[in-house]
Amino acid sequence: MVGTNPETSDGSSLSPTVDDPDLDNWEMFDESTEKFLLSTDDDALTLIDLLGFLDEVKVPDSLRKRTKAWGNRLQAERKKMAKKFNSAKDRLKEIRNGLRRRGNEVTRKLEEHSTRTARRIITGDSNKRVRDYVKEPPVVRMIDCVSFTLGVILLVSAEFMTLRFPHFFWIFYVITAWAMIITRCILWWGGIFKYFLFDFCYFVNAVCSLVVLFFPNNTVLNQVCFVWANGPVVLAMVTWRNSLVFHSLEKVTTLYIHATPSILTLCIRWYSKGPSPMCEGGDEGACSLSLWNWWVMSFSGYLLWQVLQLMLTEVLGGEEIQKKGLQTSCRWISTHPRMPVHFLSLKLARSLGIMGKDEKFNYKTWKTKIIFVTFQAGYTFFTMLPCKVLFESFWAHLVYLFILYVYCVWNGARYYIHIFAERYTLQFIAKDDNIKVVEPPPAVIPNPDSTCKGT
């Protein structure tokens, strides 16, 4: 094919002729050039390839100029299209941002309107916050009266269900315990104590509820719940000096969260209708708490909670805790020297040489955090020791819980006689005389000796 002169259908030549003025600038194609031009592959020849080819091969100047002009026009059109596209993109972005701003503004106005409406319904004044309203003396008195009434009803109802229908106590437990936990979440979530809602006692209540609802016949989970409920959780009533104070929603809720899991496991272990789900194979005669479930499974579950709690308070919520000054178990205990846990852990750390003779806890340091985590793990370990005897002896279990509940009742009696009578009266006298009251009503802010911190 080299050296030939291809013709069109009408006989005209496609190659330069003798009369062509650009003939002197034309060089014959070699074989590789011809194969390149005659290639039928769709991707063989592009505009960039053609321009590069024109740079390497000598072609007529008119064709070269015309081709470059086409390339420049294509580049210019591409830039125009890109400019229009970017302009449209920016315009769409502005529209989106404008819609988002308007949506946020509408949402804010709706929230503000709903808040003011709720305030007007509850307090009678759309500008008065509910938190301030519930601190007023008449409202505090009303809340205390309602709490006292509900506390007594709750106690009598729990006693009735335990004695008359122990095999249905789990239904009563799930309804009442979670009603109180949800109420506490509502009261605490917007304040500085919301991270206490992730303490071990709430974790245990959640697991116990899941087990009785979805895994009622799982022996391993039932035995683990027995160890947790009758070990670290119920003994927290002594550790944190819980008291049965009927008028205080705060104290009643704390006591209920600590006490009812042990009553639940008591009913499941000793009063089940049919074989107890805590016994392997339902054999009551050979029912025992296995070493695996007693220590390995129970303590592993505790460690799982501890890891999750540290991730929540130190990683996910660490920035929020620092910025807003929110409380955590470690922070609360380390800043209250009069608490038994603070005193014992500090004394133990100093005796072991971990802390200096005059060194104090600093909740911001990992040293203090590790000390409290270790101390709590030790507390959990030792409080799990009596669970073997409690599991295998009905009377030991009954007397054990009876002593703990009497302790809480005694604390409540001491509170009413020695503390409440004078404090309650002075609280309203001080407010009527416009004197600043340091300690708020117990129904609003948790008492450091009665909350569920660290358990």
Side-chain angles (χ1 to χ4, degrees), residues 62-77:
S62 60
L63 180 59
R64 184 186 298 276
K65 293 178 181 179
R66 195 175 305 163
T67 303
K68 288 186 177 181
W70 291 342
N72 293 334
R73 289 181 62 184
L74 288 175
Q75 291 290 338
E77 291 296 329

Side-chain angles (χ1 to χ4, degrees), residues 145-421:
C145 290
V146 173
S147 299
F148 188 95
T149 304
L150 293 178
V152 174
I153 294 175
L154 191 63
L155 177 64
V156 175
S157 301
E159 181 182 3
F160 173 77
M161 291 296 299
T162 304
L163 297 177
R164 187 67 181 85
F165 303 104
H167 47 283
F168 290 131
F169 182 82
W170 66 272
I171 301 175
F172 176 82
Y173 162 77
V174 171
I175 295 174
T176 56
W178 280 99
M180 302 193 78
I181 291 175
I182 292 173
T183 301
R184 173 161 285 186
C185 290
I186 294 173
L187 293 175
W188 281 15
W189 193 256
I192 64 174
F193 296 102
K194 76 174 186 178
Y195 281 94
F196 287 140
L197 298 171
F198 302 98
D199 280 349
F200 188 57
C201 58
Y202 299 97
F203 176 78
V204 172
N205 277 272
V207 174
C208 288
S209 300
L210 292 175
V211 170
V212 297
L213 287 173
F214 303 106
F215 310 100
N217 298 316
N218 190 301
T219 303
V220 175
L221 292 178
N222 274 286
Q223 289 190 359
V224 169
C225 288
F226 183 94
V227 173
W228 286 346
N230 295 277
V233 173
V234 76
L235 284 173
M237 296 191 304
V238 177
T239 307
W240 303 102
R241 296 184 293 178
N242 289 174
S243 54
L244 184 59
V245 180
F246 288 114
H247 80 277
S248 172
L249 178 63
E250 182 66 41
K251 293 181 181 294
V252 170
T253 302
T254 298
L255 178 60
Y256 202 79
I257 292 172
H258 285 152
T260 49
S262 60
I263 301 176
L264 173 69
T265 55
L266 173 75
C267 294
I268 295 175
R269 174 67 183 93
W270 304 109
Y271 294 103
S272 293
K273 202 171 183 179
S276 175
M278 290 194 179
C279 300
E280 192 69 37
D283 186 3
E284 291 285 350
C287 189
S288 63
L289 182 62
S290 66
L291 187 66
W292 177 264
N293 295 337
W294 182 15
W295 291 111
V296 179
M297 296 299 294
S298 299
F299 202 73
S300 297
Y302 162 78
L303 292 178
L304 172 63
W305 164 82
Q306 184 66 84
V307 171
L308 294 176
Q309 199 243 11
L310 286 175
M311 289 182 60
L312 179 67
T313 58
E314 304 301 328
V315 180
L316 300 178
E319 185 177 352
E320 181 186 20
I321 291 172
Q322 294 299 327
K323 284 184 177 180
K324 298 182 179 180
L326 304 182
Q327 290 287 347
T328 62
S329 298
C330 176
R331 185 170 185 172
W332 183 272
I333 297 172
S334 62
T335 54
H336 290 76
R338 297 181 61 184
M339 296 187 67
V341 178
H342 180 108
F343 173 77
L344 292 175
S345 56
L346 181 60
K347 186 176 180 179
L348 182 62
R350 286 176 176 175
S351 63
L352 295 176
I354 300 175
M355 298 189 68
K357 200 170 184 180
D358 299 324
E359 188 177 0
K360 297 181 180 180
F361 286 133
N362 182 1
Y363 65 87
K364 295 181 180 180
T365 64
W366 272 103
K367 183 178 181 179
T368 297
K369 296 174 183 177
I370 293 174
I371 289 174
F372 279 113
V373 169
T374 306
F375 185 86
Q376 184 169 332
Y379 161 84
T380 303
F381 179 87
F382 284 109
T383 54
M384 288 165 54
L385 288 174
C387 293
K388 176 75 171 177
V389 177
L390 303 178
F391 188 86
E392 299 177 358
S393 172
F394 168 77
W395 288 107
H397 194 188
L398 191 64
V399 171
Y400 172 78
L401 295 182
F402 176 78
I403 293 173
L404 292 175
Y405 298 154
V406 168
Y407 171 82
C408 295
V409 174
W410 178 258
N411 283 345
R414 292 182 68 253
Y415 179 85
Y416 275 116
I417 301 302
H418 298 286
I419 302 174
F420 172 74

